[in-house]
Amino acid sequence: MIGFGIREVISRSFYAMLDTKTPMLIALVALILNIVLNIILSQFLGLAGLALATSISTIISSFILIVVFKRKNGWDGYKDIVTMNLKILFISFVTVIISKLIYNVLSFYISNNSAFIIVIFFCLIFYGLLLFKLKIVDFSIILNRFKKTP
């Protein structure tokens, strides 16, 4: 899943710079690699080999996209992007753990559906507060837009 996400983000970065050829060529290489790996790995692992082959080819194509993007454009602010993503990953992890704990406690006292709805609202507020507290820049931009709207 990580490979798919990275590939989508970097591909769209190329598209934003009006470069559709580079992601297409890298996708072609990934497709050929995926076919070869599917043939090889499915013989040994069956259906699991198909999934593994797809994951491997996606991760490799994501890596190639990153390398090509960095060579073509440089990568100013790389550390800021990594730091922000690590903060968001931490916030997501904490929110998932807290939500699971709250759901388990609430489900003893109220119905599962009610507990689920309460947990969703709590997590939205909790996640937003953590984004604000850890100073995620993109979240601050969104908040400022809401403040400016009449």
Side-chain angles (χ1 to χ4, degrees):
M1 295 305 278
I2 292 172
F4 285 106
I6 292 170
R7 184 187 66 194
E8 286 301 310
V9 169
I10 301 296
S11 291
R12 290 174 192 213
S13 299
F14 279 105
Y15 300 150
M17 295 181 298
L18 304 176
D19 180 2
T20 57
K21 186 176 179 182
T22 303
M24 187 214 44
L25 292 174
I26 294 172
L28 181 64
V29 170
L31 177 67
I32 293 168
L33 178 64
N34 191 19
I35 291 170
V36 170
L37 288 174
N38 276 332
I39 292 169
I40 295 169
L41 293 177
S42 66
Q43 292 176 356
F44 298 105
L45 301 173
L47 290 176
L50 298 176
L52 182 60
T54 302
S55 296
I56 290 170
S57 65
T58 303
I59 289 170
I60 290 172
S61 70
S62 298
F63 179 75
I64 293 170
L65 276 168
I66 289 170
V67 169
V68 171
F69 184 82
K70 191 172 179 180
R71 283 187 183 159
K72 281 188 169 190
N73 304 303
W75 199 307
D76 296 333
Y78 172 73
K79 290 181 183 177
D80 294 337
I81 292 170
V82 170
T83 302
M84 183 183 66
N85 283 322
L86 288 175
K87 284 181 183 180
I88 292 172
L89 183 64
F90 171 76
I91 291 168
S92 300
F93 183 71
V94 169
T95 303
V96 166
I97 291 172
I98 298 290
S99 67
K100 181 65 174 159
L101 293 172
I102 292 172
Y103 178 79
N104 287 342
V105 170
L106 286 177
S107 63
F108 283 116
Y109 300 107
I110 58 178
S111 72
N112 288 343
N113 292 338
S114 298
F116 183 70
I117 291 170
I118 291 169
V119 167
I120 287 173
F121 285 118
F122 174 79
C123 286
L124 286 172
I125 293 167
F126 183 73
Y127 190 79
L129 288 173
L130 285 178
L131 287 174
F132 181 74
K133 196 70 175 163
L134 291 177
K135 298 177 181 161
I136 303 298
V137 176
D138 293 343
F139 186 68
S140 299
I141 293 169
I142 292 169
L143 283 179
N144 288 336
R145 288 209 177 143
F146 278 117
K147 289 178 186 176
K148 292 179 183 177
T149 306

